[in-house]
Amino acid sequence: MAKKPSGKNRAKAAKGEDKSAAKAAAKNKKPPADDAGKQGVEQVRGAKATGVREELLEADEMGTANPWMREAVRQTPSWLISMVFHMIILLILAMLTIPEGLPRDLRELVMGPGENEMDDLDELEDEDIEDLDLDVISDPVAVEVEPEDPDVSPVDEMEAAAVAVELNEFGLEHAPRNDLLATVGAYTGSGLSGRGKGKQGLVGKYGGSAGSEKAVAMALKWLANHQFPDGGWSFAHQLSPQCHGQCRNPGTLPKARIGATALAVLPFLGAGQTHKTGKYKKTVKGGLYFLVKQMKLSPKGGSLHEAGGNMYSHGIASIVLCEAYAMTHDKGLYNPAQQAVNFICYAQDPVGGGWRYQPRQKGDTSVVGWQIMALKSGHMAYLRIPPVVVKKAFTYLDTVQQNSGASYGYATPGAGQATTAIGLLCRMYLGWKKENPALARGAQQVSAWGPAKSNMYYNYYATQVMRHWEGDLWKKWNSVMRDQLVKSQATKGHEEGSWFIAGSHGKRGGRLYCTSMATMILEVYYRHL
């Protein structure tokens, strides 16, 4: 005998029968023809909302919905439920799209130059650079050199992310405070525009000659013919494939390839040749890639410090990257140039304000000269330089000056020829005006010494001092220096276009060093305005 359902079960059964009857009636009843399309659209629009309503009704039947919710569901139109549902979905999707949290500059400080940034360099033709690996630095390598003085106060530490500042001491009135890349094109007329189409006019105006320009052209050819397949150069120039020992007088620093490459690229940039334009654009491109590939990135910046070249190599290579970026505005060079400047700022002696062979050592004037020239080039490119670095550089020069700033020593007060020329040029770059009595006395002293016969290092700095001083002192200096170099350039065999002058740094750097320095001296008429 079948058991009769209970009252609750009978109610449920009745309720179910009512639902079945309603569904059957709805199925048998066909909508009018003119309402059929409208009904189909409404079914699509209300599909998800109906699903929500059914879930809530099911909860009602299971006894898990609150009375107010049941009433709200019955009274709420389908379109409103659909709208709320889609708003919730959109909010969830928005929360899943998270922007990169780090600012661009700080992200690049940790990660190094991105592939997109180096794409600009990849647009250049590279088929003629034999076996050159053009991979971009992607994995930062920590700089293993530690500060000489670990007890330096944290107060002396440079900021991790430098900011755009006003640097009146560097000669330009104002550095921009907005996007550097958007405004960098406005400055070039103040420093490097002489390397462009108006170069020939400057040659005649400031004392150059057809002979000096021919010497520069021959030197660039010699340098290009001694480039290595990987894009770099070596002071052991005789090892280059095109030389095979045909040129004498190699240097004794074969491991200092960053320094050699930087010294070789600088004369090309000085003549207006870049990786974008010019007869030697592929040569310059190879050199730039070599330098960028050697950079070791860390939160301290991008180090180009190397065994055999130490901070000399880093300073000279930094000048190359800053000048190449300033001349071309190639965004692919922005990060390497800025990171090179950042490392100079880190490597400064936090107490004395100088630079030497290793980061944070007590400074010497010779290494200081290259770092200040690199900062000057960085400033002309509108890179970011903390003001404290400039202030400390002034402090260092004060500690090695003599005769109230008219002469300078190596690491203590003195009056050496090369160190005096370096100190005076640094003072000019850092803001001393022509009216400064000490600068005037220093220029007179350099003029009295005159160009050296065998010290290319002194000649390089002293020529820049005289060129910036101008007037009769410059005319006197130039007439001797220019003709001396033009007459001493090699004109025969594979050595044609090069120089070798045994003397200060000459034997260590060899023919490559002498040729680079001599070429830059003969480019002084337009290399810096």
Side-chain angles (χ1 to χ4, degrees), residues 463-474:
T463 299
Q464 293 183 76
V465 171
M466 293 290 97
R467 166 67 180 85
H468 291 310
W469 186 261
E470 299 183 323
D472 292 338
L473 295 185
W474 163 242

Side-chain angles (χ1 to χ4, degrees), residues 216-271:
V216 169
M218 292 171 60
L220 294 182
K221 181 179 180 181
W222 185 89
L223 289 169
N225 287 338
H226 288 78
Q227 187 176 28
F228 281 63
D230 60 3
W233 279 262
S234 172
F235 289 118
H237 63 266
Q238 80 283 3
L239 300 178
S240 62
Q242 295 188 60
C243 183
H244 289 299
Q246 298 179 70
C247 297
R248 299 166 295 171
N249 312 113
T252 59
L253 299 170
K255 293 183 179 180
R257 295 205 60 208
I258 293 176
T261 300
L263 275 176
V265 174
L266 277 177
F268 289 100
L269 296 176

Side-chain angles (χ1 to χ4, degrees), residues 121 124-134 227-233 242 275 280-290 293:
L121 287 177
L124 299 170
E125 299 174 2
D126 56 75
E127 61 271 20
D128 291 346
I129 299 179
E130 180 183 355
D131 299 328
L132 180 56
D133 182 5
L134 301 182
Q227 187 176 28
F228 281 63
D230 60 3
W233 279 262
Q242 295 188 60
H275 63 290
Y280 294 104
K281 66 180 182 181
K282 295 172 185 175
T283 302
V284 176
K285 177 191 175 184
L288 291 175
Y289 264 112
F290 180 86
K293 281 170 59 65

Side-chain angles (χ1 to χ4, degrees), residues 424 439-449 466 469 473:
L424 292 172
L439 188 59
R441 293 196 306 273
Q444 290 286 349
Q445 178 61 70
V446 172
S447 177
W449 287 330
M466 293 290 97
W469 186 261
L473 295 185

Side-chain angles (χ1 to χ4, degrees), residues 167 170 172 184 187-188 190-192 195 266 269 315-327 337-338 341 344 369-385 429-430 460 464 527-528:
L167 289 177
F170 271 75
L172 295 180
V184 69
Y187 81 93
T188 52
S190 63
L192 306 178
R195 306 179 185 191
L266 277 177
L269 296 176
I316 301 169
S318 298
I319 297 173
V320 169
L321 294 176
C322 291
E323 288 193 358
Y325 169 62
M327 293 173 68
Q338 181 64 67
V341 169
I344 291 176
W370 292 108
Q371 313 311 313
I372 290 183
M373 285 195 294
L375 293 177
K376 173 67 175 178
S377 298
H379 179 69
M380 289 193 294
Y382 282 156
L383 300 178
R384 291 161 296 177
I385 304 168
Y429 280 162
L430 297 178
Y460 172 71
Q464 293 183 76
R527 188 163 177 258
H528 290 296

Side-chain angles (χ1 to χ4, degrees), residues 113 118 121 136-137 287-296 304 321 332-333 336:
M118 298 306 297
L121 287 177
V136 180
I137 294 176
L288 291 175
Y289 264 112
F290 180 86
L291 294 177
V292 172
K293 281 170 59 65
Q294 305 307 311
M295 182 176 284
K296 300 178 181 69
L304 289 161
L321 294 176
L333 289 173

Side-chain angles (χ1 to χ4, degrees), residues 71-141:
E71 185 63 20
V73 170
R74 291 190 182 96
Q75 298 296 330
T76 303
S78 298
W79 65 266
L80 183 56
I81 295 178
S82 177
M83 182 181 71
V84 173
F85 175 82
H86 284 90
M87 288 179 64
I88 293 173
I89 294 299
L90 291 174
L91 287 173
I92 293 173
L93 291 175
M95 293 174 64
L96 293 177
T97 306
I98 301 174
E100 293 179 81
L102 290 175
R104 177 177 181 274
D105 288 340
L106 183 57
R107 187 167 64 253
E108 291 172 348
L109 178 63
V110 179
M111 298 175 63
E115 293 183 358
N116 292 337
E117 288 185 327
M118 298 306 297
D119 284 345
D120 275 25
L121 287 177
D122 289 330
E123 293 174 3
L124 299 170
E125 299 174 2
D126 56 75
E127 61 271 20
D128 291 346
I129 299 179
E130 180 183 355
D131 299 328
L132 180 56
D133 182 5
L134 301 182
D135 291 338
V136 180
I137 294 176
S138 57
D139 298 324
V141 180

